[in-house]
Amino acid sequence: ASSGDISVEWERKLGDDSSLTTTLTPNDSIDVEWKDADWTANINMPIDGTDITGANVGIKREVNF
């Protein structure tokens, strides 16, 4: 059975190797992923109704040897 949960995702290409993706899951979180060539930034913001209750940010770089 489905719980009725829904999320909405929006993606914007910023160039050849760059994009910005935002996912909204109501009463749960807003997630943003920004890819720029080898770099990726992830931002997670828990939400409760219309209140953002914090932010978690991660940044990483892909390195190939």
Side-chain angles (χ1 to χ4, degrees):
S2 174
S3 64
D5 292 343
I6 187 170
S7 64
V8 177
E9 183 173 282
W10 176 77
E11 182 175 358
R12 171 77 178 177
K13 299 287 185 189
L14 303 174
D16 291 339
D17 293 332
S18 301
S19 65
L20 183 66
T21 304
T22 303
T23 305
L24 168 63
T25 306
N27 291 318
D28 183 42
S29 65
I30 299 171
D31 295 298
V32 179
E33 181 178 72
W34 178 12
K35 291 184 178 181
D36 188 10
D38 294 334
W39 290 91
T40 302
N42 288 293
I43 303 166
N44 171 270
M45 295 171 281
I47 56 174
D48 183 12
T50 58
D51 296 327
I52 295 175
T53 58
N56 301 305
V57 179
I59 299 172
K60 67 180 180 179
R61 183 170 196 274
E62 186 176 324
V63 178
N64 297 314
F65 293 98

